[in-house]
Amino acid sequence: MSERPRLTVLSGPSGVGKSTVVAHMRKEHPEVWLSVSATTRKPRPGERHGVHYFFVTDDEMDKLIANGELLEWAEFAGNRYGTPRAAVLERLENGEPVLLEIDLQGARQVRDSMADAQLVFLAPPSWEELVRRLTGRGTESPEVIERRLAAARTELAAEPEFDVTLVNTSVEDVASELLALMDVV
């Protein structure tokens, strides 16, 4: 019997391209299970409940946290996000490669609760490129963008806490490197 796969955590500053890399990777390798987070954030256009996120109320999130049902949770840009614990553990027990795409606070909580998790930091090619990506979305107010930039500075400083750093110069290359780290290829 092969050993249980490690949980892989992908983190990095907002706007670095985490979801783009993950989407590309899962198109090529749908067997990689991406945990779906619960969030109190309102859906963006095209997002579907249970696919992109589990959209929950503040009261529902309070209950998930109080009952210890989240592997990690964090507040970001005025909303809370969390990873349902049971689904992650179940997939790992079944021998499936599991990927979490979460923020820095969440990555730290996972490291505390699952010491064998592999933490991967996705870095931007440059600060200027990150600013361009964050301001180019066109979906957020200047205040939210400023909060995201401030958070990104903090997140970039945390890079040494991670096991591996991948620089997002090419979505295809980073997706391949991530798959190799997860022993999927």
Side-chain angles (χ1 to χ4, degrees), residues 35-48:
S35 173
V36 177
S37 297
T39 182
T40 56
R41 172 170 79 59
K42 297 288 175 253
R44 290 184 181 138
E47 288 181 334
R48 295 200 322 272

Side-chain angles (χ1 to χ4, degrees), residues 104-174:
L104 173 62
Q105 293 175 60
R108 287 172 172 157
Q109 289 177 47
V110 170
R111 158 95 3 109
D112 290 343
S113 61
M114 292 183 77
D116 64 339
Q118 172 175 237
L119 271 56
V120 180
F121 189 85
L122 189 60
S126 68
W127 172 253
E128 292 72 25
E129 175 61 16
L130 186 62
V131 170
R132 190 187 67 72
R133 290 177 189 176
L134 282 173
T135 54
R137 272 184 182 164
T139 55
E140 280 115 359
S141 68
E143 294 78 22
V144 169
I145 289 170
E146 195 43 56
R147 278 205 305 268
R148 287 189 184 276
L149 290 173
R153 285 184 201 93
T154 303
E155 289 162 343
L156 286 170
E159 182 184 339
E161 297 174 34
F162 288 75
D163 301 314
V164 182
T165 295
L166 302 177
V167 178
N168 192 7
T169 49
S170 150
V171 170
E172 293 78 12
D173 291 351
V174 169

Side-chain angles (χ1 to χ4, degrees), residues 56-126:
V56 298
T57 64
D58 278 315
D59 285 349
E60 290 168 328
M61 184 65 91
D62 289 342
K63 287 190 183 101
L64 290 171
I65 294 166
N67 295 334
E69 293 178 44
L70 299 177
L71 184 59
E72 58 78 34
W73 72 275
E75 189 163 332
F76 186 74
N79 296 296
R80 290 182 291 170
Y81 298 80
T83 302
R85 179 188 304 273
V88 168
L89 297 179
E90 184 183 312
R91 299 288 177 142
L92 288 171
E93 289 299 330
N94 289 340
E96 297 177 54
V98 175
L99 180 66
L100 296 188
E101 177 202 326
I102 52 178
D103 75 349
L104 173 62
Q105 293 175 60
R108 287 172 172 157
Q109 289 177 47
V110 170
R111 158 95 3 109
D112 290 343
S113 61
M114 292 183 77
D116 64 339
Q118 172 175 237
L119 271 56
V120 180
F121 189 85
L122 189 60
S126 68

